[in-house]
Amino acid sequence: MIVLEYIILLLSLTLLSLIFKICGVNIKNNRQYLLTIIIILTLFLGLRGPKVGLDMINYYKFFVAAKNSTIEYLYFHYDFELGFKMLTKFISFIFYDFRFYVFVISILSMIGIYNFIKNYSRNYFASIFLFITFNYFIYYTCTLRQCLAISILLCAFPLLLAKDKKSLLWYIATVMIASLFHKTALVFLILPVFKHIKFTTNKIFRFMSLCIVLFIIKNPILNIITELIYSQYLDYRDTSGSGYTMLLLIFLIIVGVCFINKKFDINKNENKYFVGMLLLALPFQILSTTQGLVARIVLYFTYSFIILVPNNLEVLDSKYRKFIYPMFYISLFLFYVYQIFTNSVYVGYTFF
């Protein structure tokens, strides 16, 4: 099925960005420009029909149950995390229509990405372009719980970067809150470790070498882990054949960020944490080529893409950026078109 709506959305945002630029707005770091783009994306999410999103039928059924049930009933009869149950119940008190529920969830989910790009990106347009073309945006139509958790985690980054212990405790508490919407958010508890690590090209090279070994022995390791911890998912074992495109992208971005561009300081301030996320994405993506469920964890770490890639390009000399950026955007657009025609998560867009 041809779903041109997503291509039209991207081209429209690009045209709008060009209009902003012609009007003298610096689209690299103007917050009003970024807020405008985020509002448009939020409207696109919030006004979508009930069938736009692979898992929306289950969320619709849960919303209806939340309206007519007590929180105690929801707690014992549904497998969703407690935070998501309580939020859904609270929204159902105020809005009785599923359309408003979707709209509120869309707003809450997009707050995190707005703050993340605003605080750390050196090129807002490039970050937004990556956010859309790397399929992050489309997953906001179907993975409601995880997107809420991600939004909370992205808003918690200033706490992670603060140097006092009190902020670290608040960061840990925020991660715990995010896990109440999707338990996989607990993987962000590992990020404070990078404060004590100094990255070097030798360390990164050795890490990547170990990942090659992991790639060779991934099947027996993951099958054992699945059987011991997630026995209910045994049917998903040895489901290799997917995830290799993302694995290649992660590998290429690591090489570009950590080895090629010598002007980019991988240990400076927040860069260290984003590089750490990028490196963590590699072994988890290797495992996800066998066990698709691991891709849920990879998603958290690859959000570093939308900051690292533009910031890496921005430290290049202007004479290089002048040639690299056009190729960058064209390549991303072609990749996006390919994803739209091959990825089942893209379904025809309809309004409520």
Side-chain angles (χ1 to χ4, degrees), residues 145-244:
R145 292 178 295 133
Q146 190 170 15
C147 287
L148 285 169
I150 289 172
S151 182
I152 295 171
L153 294 174
L154 296 182
C155 288
F157 254 92
L159 296 171
L160 176 65
L161 299 176
K163 297 181 180 180
D164 57 294
K165 293 183 179 179
K166 185 176 180 180
S167 295
L168 177 59
L169 293 175
W170 277 111
Y171 171 79
I172 293 173
T174 305
V175 173
M176 300 303 293
I177 292 172
S179 71
L180 295 178
F181 293 88
H182 206 284
K183 61 178 69 72
T184 55
L186 291 173
V187 297
F188 254 46
L189 289 175
I190 196 174
L191 294 193
V193 173
F194 294 117
K195 179 181 180 181
H196 308 287
I197 297 176
K198 181 176 177 60
F199 292 115
T200 65
T201 53
N202 285 335
K203 288 180 181 178
I204 295 173
F205 180 79
R206 289 197 295 267
F207 177 81
M208 295 177 70
S209 299
L210 289 174
C211 287
I212 294 175
V213 176
L214 175 63
F215 183 83
I216 296 172
I217 62 174
K218 60 179 179 174
N219 284 8
I221 288 180
L222 196 51
N223 286 344
I224 292 173
I225 294 174
T226 303
E227 188 166 357
L228 291 176
I229 302 177
Y230 297 110
S231 57
Q232 66 270 39
Y233 297 127
L234 288 179
D235 290 341
Y236 288 87
R237 291 187 301 179
D238 295 327
T239 57
S240 57
S242 62
Y244 291 101

Side-chain angles (χ1 to χ4, degrees), residues 7-115:
I7 297 176
I8 294 172
L9 173 66
L10 181 61
L11 293 177
S12 299
L13 292 178
T14 303
L15 178 60
L16 179 61
S17 299
L18 288 175
I19 294 173
F20 267 100
K21 190 171 183 178
I22 293 172
C23 293
V25 176
N26 184 357
I27 62 175
K28 286 187 177 181
N29 55 21
N30 184 280
R31 295 186 178 183
Q32 287 72 33
Y33 157 76
L34 177 63
L35 182 60
T36 301
I37 298 298
I38 292 296
I39 289 174
I40 294 173
L41 292 176
T42 303
L43 289 173
F44 189 86
L45 285 176
L47 297 177
R48 70 187 188 274
K51 295 183 180 180
V52 182
L54 297 183
D55 207 23
M56 289 301 290
I57 185 62
N58 292 325
Y59 287 117
Y60 173 75
K61 292 177 180 178
F62 179 66
F63 177 75
V64 172
K67 287 194 302 182
N68 303 312
S69 308
T70 64
I71 192 66
E72 292 81 9
Y73 180 85
L74 296 177
Y75 179 81
F76 289 107
H77 291 84
Y78 287 88
D79 293 332
F80 294 148
E81 288 81 356
L82 179 61
F84 184 75
K85 293 177 182 178
M86 295 180 65
L87 176 63
T88 301
K89 183 62 179 177
F90 176 75
I91 296 176
S92 70
F93 275 130
I94 305 173
F95 302 109
Y96 289 96
D97 195 314
F98 183 65
R99 290 175 294 181
F100 293 104
Y101 172 71
V102 171
F103 203 88
V104 172
I105 295 295
S106 299
I107 294 173
L108 294 176
S109 298
M110 291 299 291
I111 288 174
I113 194 66
Y114 168 74
N115 280 288

Side-chain angles (χ1 to χ4, degrees), residues 240-345:
S240 57
S242 62
Y244 291 101
T245 300
M246 179 57 73
L247 180 59
L248 177 61
L249 287 172
I250 294 172
F251 178 81
L252 292 176
I253 293 174
I254 290 175
V255 172
V257 170
C258 301
F259 294 97
I260 295 179
N261 189 356
K262 300 299 182 181
K263 288 189 174 183
F264 186 77
D265 188 350
I266 60 177
N267 289 294
K268 183 179 179 181
N269 301 327
E270 66 270 11
N271 290 350
K272 178 185 291 189
Y273 295 94
F274 296 139
V275 170
M277 291 169 64
L278 180 61
L279 294 175
L280 284 175
L282 184 58
F284 281 107
Q285 184 61 34
I286 288 173
L287 295 177
S288 75
T289 59
T290 295
Q291 171 56 275
L293 293 170
V294 181
R296 290 293 187 96
I297 297 176
V298 177
L299 183 62
Y300 292 103
F301 297 133
T302 56
Y303 266 79
S304 60
F305 287 3
I306 62 178
I307 303 297
L308 274 177
V309 175
N311 290 4
N312 197 269
L313 294 177
E314 283 298 309
V315 300
L316 295 173
D317 293 336
S318 58
K319 61 180 180 180
Y320 296 120
R321 295 202 306 269
K322 183 169 56 177
F323 295 103
I324 291 177
Y325 267 123
M327 293 186 294
F328 172 74
Y329 291 125
I330 292 172
S331 298
L332 285 178
F333 178 74
L334 294 176
F335 174 73
Y336 185 56
V337 172
Y338 169 76
Q339 289 294 308
I340 288 175
F341 284 95
T342 58
N343 195 328
S344 62
V345 76

